[in-house]
Amino acid sequence: MKLGLIAGNGRFPFLILEAARAQGHEVTVIAAKEETSPDLAEAAARLGSSLHWVSLGQLGTCIATLKTAGVTHAVMAGQVKHTKIFAGGIVPDLTFMSVLAKLTSRNTDGLIGAVAQVLHEKGIELINSTALLEPLLARSGVLTSRAPSDEERKDFAFGYRMADAIAGLDIGQTVAVKQQAVVAVEGMEGTDAVIARAGQLAGPGVCIVKVAKPNQDMRFDVPVIGVATITAMRSAGATALSVDAGKALVLDGDAVFTAANEAGIAMVGR
């Protein structure tokens, strides 16, 4: 398969690229100039994949590059800060302007879903971003050596209701809870920033609940955690983390659970 990788920030694109090449796919990488790590160019060269730097908002250039490469399927991987839409960080081309003009709201599902539809119309199908990384999907049950305490389980039960509600509204996918009270809610700032804010507001003992959306589209915006998540929790004094089994990617694999065990953090897959 000739596969396109539309890459944002973080380790996710590196893992997708490595997995795709290992499975024999020819990969063309579209890297967002404003977001993607420059190190991805070295990884692409090492793995024999072409890489093209494209500015955010240049959707027409992205599509033209993929079409020229003969790409029929693509995967989105990595974070692109949604706030750039409002902070002047995106200069849209005509193709992207046509997408924005059709939107009734500029939340994640609306925006990326509209981009996916344009790709489809141009003969490029987005595939599940987890399709190449299924072994990294979170398992169910207790994932660390320490199980949650009774108090932490109560916070999880409370947090699930809150997190499912905000995820269903496409506000965010993470809440921080302490003593059955919501301390912080994720908007556009990302999970690590929510964790840090929760630590500042409520001190040690916060529980973090990260969920998939009720009708999670696995092609984009899949919940992701990594060692950086555990580092943020440790700094904030957060003590427990829940993710949705089969719907969240644990990007650093067993290193995440090792880091959590070292920090005394309990992790579960709901």
Side-chain angles (χ1 to χ4, degrees):
M1 180 192 299
K2 289 190 174 182
L3 182 70
L5 169 57
I6 303 172
N9 197 10
R11 291 196 60 243
F12 197 178
F14 290 84
L15 295 174
I16 288 285
L17 177 58
E18 291 170 357
R21 291 300 291 158
Q23 294 175 33
H25 300 300
E26 182 180 333
V27 183
T28 297
V29 183
I30 304 294
K33 286 182 181 178
E34 299 84 354
E35 294 282 359
T36 311
S37 168
D39 293 339
L40 189 61
E42 185 278 328
R46 174 170 49 83
L47 294 169
S49 294
S50 62
L51 182 141
H52 307 267
W53 293 99
V54 176
S55 289
L56 292 173
Q58 303 303 293
L59 181 58
T61 302
C62 172
I63 292 171
T65 303
L66 293 175
K67 293 294 288 183
T68 298
V71 166
T72 56
H73 294 76
V75 59
M76 287 184 176
Q79 183 184 35
V80 173
K81 296 182 180 65
H82 201 156
T83 52
K84 289 186 180 293
I85 295 175
F86 304 98
I90 292 179
V91 179
D93 63 9
L94 290 176
T95 304
F96 195 50
M97 285 178 66
S98 70
V99 169
L100 294 176
K102 295 175 184 176
L103 295 177
T104 56
S105 65
R106 295 190 178 184
N107 57 15
T108 303
D109 278 359
L111 180 58
I112 305 181
V115 170
Q117 180 59 33
V118 173
L119 288 169
H120 169 74
E121 291 168 359
K122 299 297 183 179
I124 300 170
E125 296 295 336
L126 272 188
I127 63 174
N128 287 354
S129 57
T130 59
L132 300 169
L133 299 175
E134 288 189 2
L136 294 181
L137 287 170
R139 305 183 308 276
S140 63
V142 177
L143 304 175
T144 47
S145 56
R146 182 177 80 80
S149 66
D150 289 343
E151 189 63 29
E152 288 167 340
R153 290 186 185 278
K154 291 178 183 176
D155 278 347
F156 280 159
F158 174 82
Y160 292 144
R161 299 198 306 275
M162 305 300 121
D164 287 340
I166 67 161
L169 294 170
D170 199 17
I171 295 171
Q173 293 171 279
T174 305
V175 297
V177 176
K178 185 174 181 179
Q179 297 175 5
Q180 292 90 69
V182 174
V183 176
V185 174
E186 181 184 30
M188 291 186 180
E189 73 276 41
T191 303
D192 292 354
V194 173
I195 294 169
R197 189 167 79 249
Q200 294 167 0
L201 291 171
V206 171
C207 291
I208 306 299
V209 176
K210 189 173 184 69
V211 301
K213 295 171 186 175
N215 297 304
Q216 179 72 51
D217 190 329
M218 298 301 284
R219 297 176 301 169
F220 48 79
D221 204 29
V222 175
V224 170
I225 63 167
V227 170
T229 311
I230 303 302
T231 300
M233 290 183 64
R234 190 169 193 166
S235 297
T239 60
L241 170 66
S242 175
V243 295
D244 280 1
K247 294 289 183 69
L249 280 169
V250 184
L251 290 188
D252 299 302
D254 288 343
V256 174
F257 309 126
T258 298
N261 287 332
E262 291 174 351
I265 292 170
M267 278 186 64
V268 300
R270 178 172 65 152

